[in-house]
Amino acid sequence: MTTEQSGVTDEAVPGEPAARGDDEAGNDASATKDADATEAVGNAKADGGTKDAGTAKDIDATKAVGNAKAVGNAKAVGNAKAVGNAKADDADGETKDDEAKDGKTKDGKTKDREAKNDEAEDGDDAKGDRDAGDDRKPDRWEAFAPAPEPVPGRLRRGLRAVGRFGVHEWTLAVLGSLALAVALTWPTLRYPLHTLPQDYWDPSLQTWQMAWSGHILLTNPAQLWHSNTFFPEPWSFAFSDTLLGYAPAGMIGTGPEAALLRYNIMFVLAHALATLGVYALARQLGSGHAGAAVAGVGYAYAPWLLAQAGHLHIISNGGIPLALAMLARGHGWSLRHGYRPERRHAGWAYAGWVVAAWQLSLGFGIGLPFAYVLAVATLVATVTWFVRRRSARRPFGVRLLVADVVGALLFAGVGALLAVPYFKVAELHPNAARTLDDVGIYSPPLSGFFTAPAESRVWGTLHEGARAGLPWNSPEMTLLPGFVLYALAAGGLFFSVWRLRHRLLLLAGVVVTAVLAMGTRFFGGTFTYGLLFEYLPGWNGLRTPGRMMLWTTLLLGLLAAGAVSAFAIRVREWAAERVPPWPGPWLRLATVLPLLLVIAEGLNVTPHPVVPVQPAALRSVDGPMLVLPSDQGSDQLVMLWSTSRFQDVVNGGSGFTPTRQAEIRKATESFPDQASVTYLRALGVRNVVVLRDRIADTPWATTIDAPVDALGITREQVDNAVVFRL
């Protein structure tokens, strides 16, 4: 076989051996004219059993620069003279080989190759064969590499997600709020089927309200406002705040025991929501964790609220701060950072308006002032938008503006629909209208802001003399938000994470709301509560100005949150200076001490009386019926007892007494006699139930067993009650 046949010229390029044909396999690969065809410069290695690296005449054709290693084992395949392309593995990627010159192919063409060789690390070995048909050899150093992290399975990924969720700030906040609510309202959930907090008068009314709204929305929603009580009065569901927002809970269970359980659960949840709502608001405004917790607990368990334990519509105030927190979050606004347009989120704005509408549906007693606060905030935000609409950092985008418009319309629509029945009641019952004289009765003096109710475990007994000096013994007179809260808020005026102007605004809010809470006690209320009463729509329906303390307490809590947050930051700075940088036990205790003190002031001795058992007659007797004796307190119990069948009953208790109901009570004092029977028949009453165990010291104590044959009615003993069928 000639040189031309093998594909190699007389002047082959060193380092680029030409391959022979397969027909000369087995011949010696080193058949060259010059034995020294290749001069290796550096530490080149030939691996793979090659006898000669090529047959070239020009000895100086190629020089290796640096400590290059030949990578790739050259093997003789077929009749190749030099097989295996030697590659220089460049460790640093910067050195270059000299050009390989004068190498001609059999076609007479010259290839100029620029072999890039760099200093290879000492100790590298030649790597596996590149020849077709041979598998790549495994890297012998692979065993020393770190083991790859195993891919977790579906179960492990799920457990990790649950773990992350469990330690998230808001998960802990929700669980902490619930646990604290159960503890600080105990023993509400000890016997939830049989007891009510504080007393069983107003709470009985509210248990009926939740039960009625849930029942009627499932059966006949058109009759929602025409309840089964106060027969035959229309619009009777609007005789007081309705707690309509709790209707979904009222759809679960029937009867008095279910109503009691429902009430007690919602009572605890209302405290938890109040704590969580203020915590969320304080965090959104820029407070730290400890400060937000102090604000939340101080708001939900303020001593003055302990006296309101029998008024669920006042305790259910958590939607106010929660809605404000959501709206602030949606607009990317906080006290510490101002407007941050990059944090705007229309979804949070929608959620805030929905929560606000839900809060309004619980009642106008605290919902109406909230509506005016939102109206003022909306006005300020609108003016701000127009002022900044051309700036690069305008606080509103189009989507957020749409969310506010839609949300405000939703809120206003809910308010308007809820207001219609109350306007009807005001039209039909002029005696339900409030006057400034009524407001004066419920207006607390200045000393009331420093007087705790009897339900306070810490201050109740100590303030017994102070309560005796108040105009009268009423929950509306004792308005102490907590001495610890006062102290922390005062400290927050001088040492806080809030800016000075924000502290001054919060202080102004505290003063204004406290003055409004005094009603007519502050210079007759002429230029304060009286102005609102006379000129703001709906305000003349509020006779208890002391409930403005909700806003005073909220603002005090935010001032306190600023102080506690600043203190926590200072503690972290002190801790960083320690070696090792970790706070000691006393430093850690110092950060939670304000919270512990606020919790201590929220401890209560609220009674939980056992609710009288439902008479068997109310489970079997049809309506319309009258239950005797009838008065404000007794009728509220009858409302609760009617939740088994929701039959029409003349009885009912609310914030006012309808004229016809007062007439019925007066006309039936002589029952059973001909006049009272005729009167009840004319009203449409079919049955009268007299409760034997409740008629002591009443007009019916001696007449219940009088003969009735001449009256055309029948008498039947049902358990401990006497049923007269008209």
Side-chain angles (χ1 to χ4, degrees):
M1 185 176 183
T2 64
T3 303
E4 287 77 11
Q5 288 173 325
S6 64
V8 181
T9 64
D10 290 339
E11 295 181 0
V13 180
E16 242 182 41
R20 293 185 179 182
D22 292 341
D23 56 322
E24 290 186 5
N27 291 341
D28 190 354
S30 61
T32 61
K33 293 182 180 180
D34 193 342
D36 299 324
T38 304
E39 181 182 1
V41 181
N43 297 324
K45 295 181 181 180
D47 190 15
T50 305
K51 293 182 178 180
D52 287 315
T55 59
K57 291 181 179 180
D58 191 351
I59 298 175
D60 298 326
T62 303
K63 292 183 180 181
V65 181
N67 296 324
K69 295 181 179 179
V71 180
N73 298 327
K75 289 186 177 181
V77 179
N79 293 325
K81 290 183 178 180
V83 182
N85 297 322
K87 295 183 180 179
D89 194 4
D90 188 357
D92 296 321
E94 294 179 355
T95 46
K96 295 182 179 180
D97 270 6
D98 293 334
E99 293 181 356
K101 298 179 180 180
D102 299 333
K104 295 182 180 180
T105 63
K106 88 174 182 178
D107 296 332
K109 295 180 180 179
T110 304
K111 290 184 179 180
D112 291 336
R113 295 220 177 172
E114 208 175 62
K116 294 181 180 180
N117 296 328
D118 198 359
E119 290 187 4
E121 295 180 1
D122 293 339
D124 285 354
D125 294 321
K127 295 184 179 179
D129 296 338
R130 300 295 180 184
D131 215 42
D134 289 338
D135 294 330
R136 181 175 177 178
K137 294 181 180 180
D139 187 356
R140 66 181 65 181
W141 300 105
E142 198 171 316
F144 295 94
E149 185 176 354
V151 178
R154 184 174 300 176
L155 177 60
R156 179 169 295 183
R157 291 198 303 270
L159 292 176
R160 287 182 180 178
V162 171
R164 287 192 298 270
F165 176 79
V167 298
H168 194 278
E169 175 188 356
W170 294 108
T171 303
L172 296 176
V174 170
L175 295 178
S177 299
L178 289 172
L180 200 62
V182 172
L184 292 185
T185 61
W186 192 260
T188 298
L189 295 183
R190 186 177 184 182
Y191 304 110
L193 296 175
H194 309 287
T195 63
L196 284 171
Q198 197 172 61
D199 57 52
Y200 50 74
W201 307 123
D202 284 352
S204 293
L205 161 65
Q206 291 160 348
T207 58
W208 167 81
Q209 287 174 328
M210 283 190 283
W212 167 257
S213 60
H215 160 77
I216 201 65
L217 289 177
L218 288 176
T219 56
N220 189 4
Q223 292 297 311
L224 171 65
W225 297 103
H226 309 291
S227 74
N228 69 309
T229 59
F230 293 97
F231 178 85
E233 297 290 346
W235 306 102
S236 55
F237 193 47
F239 285 179
S240 57
D241 279 342
T242 63
L243 295 175
L244 186 59
Y246 288 151
M251 298 176 181
I252 304 173
T254 58
E257 287 191 350
L260 292 177
L261 176 63
R262 183 186 305 119
Y263 180 93
N264 285 315
I265 291 176
M266 299 311 298
F267 181 79
V268 174
L269 291 179
H271 284 84
L273 182 62
T275 306
L276 182 65
V278 177
Y279 179 88
L281 177 60
R283 289 287 288 142
Q284 172 60 32
L285 295 181
S287 169
H289 300 90
V294 167
V297 175
Y299 176 81
Y301 304 99
W304 76 273
L305 273 173
L306 300 179
Q308 302 287 339
H311 300 145
L312 185 59
H313 59 297
I314 306 301
I315 298 297
S316 301
N317 53 57
I320 294 175
L322 184 61
L324 293 176
M326 289 178 169
L327 289 172
R329 171 67 179 86
H331 292 78
W333 183 82
S334 70
L335 279 181
R336 291 182 70 181
H337 307 290
Y339 281 109
R340 289 182 287 181
E342 69 277 4
R343 297 201 174 192
R344 295 178 304 197
H345 196 292
W348 283 109
Y350 281 115
W353 285 111
V354 170
V355 172
W358 172 79
Q359 176 66 58
L360 187 64
S361 71
L362 294 177
F364 285 110
I366 61 173
L368 186 66
F370 178 45
Y372 279 105
V373 169
L374 284 180
V376 172
T378 301
L379 178 62
V380 172
T382 302
V383 173
T384 303
W385 185 83
F386 276 105
V387 170
R388 298 188 180 183
R389 68 186 186 278
R390 297 185 183 278
S391 67
R393 290 179 55 83
R394 64 181 187 274
F396 293 91
V398 175
R399 293 179 60 187
L400 190 56
L401 183 61
V402 171
D404 283 336
V405 171
V406 173
L409 290 176
L410 170 67
F411 182 84
V414 170
L417 290 175
L418 292 175
V420 169
Y422 290 93
F423 286 123
K424 290 287 186 181
V425 170
E427 179 183 347
L428 295 173
H429 303 277
N431 63 315
R434 315 296 189 189
T435 65
L436 274 178
D437 291 336
D438 296 328
V439 174
I441 295 174
Y442 290 92
S443 297
L446 182 62
S447 61
F449 294 97
F450 304 95
T451 306
E455 289 82 358
S456 173
R457 182 178 293 275
V458 176
W459 305 114
T461 303
L462 296 174
H463 289 189
E464 186 174 354
R467 288 193 299 274
L470 295 174
W472 63 299
N473 186 15
S474 167
E476 315 300 338
M477 297 288 112
T478 53
L479 299 181
L480 175 67
F483 289 112
V484 175
L485 199 62
Y486 275 145
L488 293 174
L493 293 174
F494 305 97
F495 178 70
S496 177
V497 296
W498 312 132
R499 298 174 185 175
L500 178 60
R501 69 174 182 272
H502 294 148
R503 285 177 256 166
L504 294 177
L505 286 174
L506 290 173
L507 177 61
V510 168
V511 173
V512 170
T513 54
V515 167
L516 292 177
M518 294 178 67
T520 59
R521 298 282 176 179
F522 189 83
F523 298 103
T526 304
F527 300 104
T528 56
Y529 197 88
L531 287 176
L532 305 182
F533 189 88
E534 294 291 344
Y535 297 106
L536 286 186
W539 208 276
N540 57 1
L542 306 180
R543 65 177 179 179
T544 51
R547 291 169 184 173
M548 290 296 295
M549 274 301 293
L550 276 175
W551 295 95
T552 307
T553 307
L554 176 60
L555 297 173
L556 287 172
L558 293 178
L559 276 172
V564 175
S565 299
F567 177 66
I569 293 173
R570 184 63 56 86
V571 167
R572 286 196 296 270
E573 292 174 352
W574 290 337
E577 297 173 359
R578 294 168 59 90
V579 179
W582 187 258
W586 294 109
L587 285 177
R588 288 197 298 269
L589 179 61
T591 59
V592 300
L593 184 59
L595 177 61
L596 295 177
L597 292 175
V598 171
I599 291 175
E601 273 201 299
L603 297 176
N604 69 86
V605 289
T606 303
H608 288 72
V610 176
V611 179
V613 178
Q614 178 194 39
L618 271 76
R619 295 193 296 269
S620 59
V621 177
D622 295 330
M625 70 178 181
L626 168 66
V627 180
L628 297 174
S630 175
D631 54 59
Q632 177 74 9
S634 297
D635 281 6
Q636 289 174 331
L637 267 177
V638 174
M639 298 171 82
L640 168 62
W641 290 336
S642 73
T643 55
S644 291
R645 301 182 60 189
F646 291 102
Q647 64 269 58
D648 289 334
V649 294
V650 177
N651 307 76
S654 69
F656 77 101
T657 301
T659 301
R660 186 176 337 200
Q661 187 180 47
E663 293 175 352
I664 294 173
R665 289 173 179 169
K666 184 67 176 177
T668 55
E669 287 182 354
S670 59
F671 183 87
D673 65 353
Q674 190 61 57
S676 60
V677 170
T678 302
Y679 180 80
L680 292 174
R681 282 174 173 167
L683 288 177
V685 177
R686 297 171 55 189
N687 298 294
V688 177
V689 178
V690 181
L691 304 177
R692 284 187 178 275
D693 58 345
R694 305 184 68 84
I695 60 174
D697 301 325
T698 69
W700 303 279
T702 57
T703 61
I704 187 174
D705 294 320
V708 296
D709 295 339
L711 301 175
I713 63 177
T714 61
R715 180 168 50 201
E716 177 186 359
Q717 187 79 24
V718 179
D719 198 16
N720 199 31
V722 178
V723 179
F724 295 87
R725 304 190 184 276
L726 308 185

